[in-house]
Amino acid sequence: MAVIGQDIDQAARIILNGGLVGMPTETVYGLAANALDEKAVLDIFKVKRRPSFDPLIVHVASLEMLHSLATGLNDSAQELLYRFWPGPLTLILKKKNIVPDLVTSGHSTVAVRMPKHPMALKLIEKSGVPIAAPSANPFGYVSPTRPSHVDKQLGDQIPYILDGGKCAIGIESTILEVSDEEIKVLRLGGLSPDLLLPFKGKITFASFSSSNPVAPGMLTSHYSPKKKFVVGNLIQLMEQYPEAAILSYTTFYPGRECYVLSKKADLTEAASNLFHFMRSLDEGNNEVIIAELVPPEGLGRAINDRLLRASAS
Ligand code: TXA
Ligand code: MG
């Protein structure tokens, strides 16, 4: 098992020696490596069992670091990053040659984000290099929001997990591709689309598909628990699956294994609980998990996206 601790110097040394570290961010935990070290990046793909066509997000701690990786930022991209960085926003930008093709899966663009978690920012600053980090879960499984989640699945393959506690947002970053005319949401995430309304450009949403994903993370089946996961009307599903465990938005159903995302119907709280509860239910005694969608507003759209993809097979 990995060592779980708060020694940022040690984590930075591992990164600079070409190793991998579990890194807390405000969204989910990342599997971090030096983005400029091809061998280390290759190890990310190996440890995650991630297909090489699925590019990584590069994390930066300063605008200087951003400009070392990407070029040609349009006004819209600049406005968005001034407003939302550090935070749960990833921008798709034109890459510079310094970024290994392996990181971007051969694309001419690179995904960049400045995380808000103080430990992530310190780790990037101390290592002095941009950090590539996908979510620290085996490919296709639910993302981790606590150090123990990372340890359980990847702990035997990495030396160190930085313990930054429970992720405040609990759902991955929102990924945008922006031009001066259009803000294209490639992945719904921790930044509510409502917050984009004041910005210039028409907001559009990429649809996900299993055959021709716009972004590889848009594969229909993703974030999937190992158990059968069914989304629908809970009252009907409870009849259909009398034994099933329940993931409900606001209501506790007694007599069954039941997790409630937010008793007070708060979508921010629901997002922060979502992946932890999905993992707990996956480890429970029931063979089937039934769940309901949440109101499709604000962060609710990202939550529903994850629920629907978890239920796709
Ligand atoms: O919140 C997050 O974004 C977390 C934390 C660790 O920062 N990271 C994360 O990474 O969710 P990952 O690898 O699980 O998802 C990254 C997704 C990829 O699946 C891919 O779809 C998209 O980002 N992506 C990366 N580079 C891209 C590019 N050049 N063009 C389009 N999409 C890209
Ligand atoms: Mg992921």
Side-chain angles (χ1 to χ4, degrees):
M1 288 288 123
V3 175
I4 302 179
Q6 299 194 317
D7 188 342
I8 295 174
D9 289 320
Q10 187 180 345
R13 273 197 301 277
I14 295 171
I15 295 279
L16 285 176
N17 284 328
L20 306 187
V21 166
M23 173 177 79
T25 83
E26 77 282 19
T27 57
V28 300
Y29 273 74
L31 180 61
N34 178 354
L36 307 180
D37 178 340
E38 264 184 82
K39 197 188 151 296
V41 172
L42 195 60
D43 283 343
I44 291 182
F45 283 91
K46 278 193 201 148
V47 166
K48 257 193 84 111
R49 281 179 273 124
R50 180 181 181 107
S52 59
F53 62 73
D54 194 358
L56 306 177
I57 295 176
V58 181
H59 299 70
V60 298
S62 66
L63 292 183
E64 197 188 343
M65 208 177 248
L66 162 70
H67 292 301
S68 74
L69 303 171
T71 148
L73 268 78
N74 52 46
D75 291 348
S76 300
Q78 293 212 15
E79 281 169 23
L80 286 161
L81 71 85
Y82 278 125
R83 169 70 180 81
F84 296 116
W85 278 8
L89 167 68
T90 296
L91 291 170
I92 305 297
L93 302 166
K94 197 166 180 314
K95 97 176 187 66
K96 285 192 172 171
N97 286 338
I98 189 178
V99 183
D101 287 333
L102 196 58
V103 171
T104 64
S105 302
H107 290 270
S108 58
T109 51
V110 58
V112 189
R113 167 164 120 79
M114 189 186 288
K116 196 169 189 172
H117 198 296
M119 274 186 159
L121 288 170
K122 278 198 194 115
L123 178 63
I124 303 166
E125 276 161 16
K126 285 224 160 127
S127 5
V129 291
I131 285 188
S135 52
N137 51 280
F139 183 69
Y141 194 67
V142 182
S143 294
T145 55
R146 297 168 188 221
S148 60
H149 296 165
V150 183
D151 193 36
K152 192 151 201 178
Q153 293 185 304
L154 304 181
D156 55 350
Q157 297 181 78
I158 59 176
Y160 200 77
I161 300 168
L162 261 183
D163 183 354
K166 184 182 159 190
C167 299
I169 294 177
I171 204 159
E172 302 84 350
S173 62
T174 297
I175 305 182
L176 301 182
E177 190 172 58
V178 296
S179 66
D180 286 329
E181 295 79 43
E182 185 185 15
I183 300 179
K184 191 168 187 178
V185 182
L186 296 185
R187 178 176 74 182
L188 290 160
L191 185 79
S192 166
D194 299 347
L195 296 173
L196 301 172
L197 291 173
F199 289 84
K200 198 166 67 150
K202 185 166 166 253
I203 301 172
T204 60
F205 296 88
S207 58
F208 52 82
S209 117
S210 50
S211 53
N212 184 24
V214 178
M218 303 298 282
L219 290 169
T220 316
S221 171
H222 215 80
Y223 314 101
S224 301
K226 297 190 182 81
K227 289 186 178 158
K228 186 177 170 74
F229 191 89
V230 189
V231 176
N233 177 297
L234 278 183
I235 304 297
Q236 283 169 10
L237 289 174
M238 279 160 71
E239 266 179 40
Q240 204 178 335
Y241 299 100
E243 306 279 303
I246 299 173
L247 181 59
S248 133
Y249 179 37
T250 56
T251 311
F252 180 75
Y253 296 93
R256 300 208 195 194
E257 188 182 3
C258 178
Y259 285 83
V260 179
L261 287 173
S262 173
K263 288 202 172 77
K264 52 179 197 251
D266 173 3
L267 289 166
T268 303
E269 181 182 43
S272 75
N273 284 327
L274 180 68
F275 290 152
H276 181 55
F277 288 175
M278 278 169 73
R279 281 173 177 261
S280 302
L281 285 159
D282 213 17
E283 285 164 13
N285 291 322
N286 295 287
E287 290 313 309
V288 180
I289 303 163
I290 56 177
E292 64 183 343
L293 295 179
V294 303
E297 51 203 46
L299 283 185
R301 294 182 61 168
I303 295 173
N304 288 344
D305 169 79
R306 302 308 187 266
L307 289 168
L308 288 170
R309 287 205 236 176
S311 71
S313 51

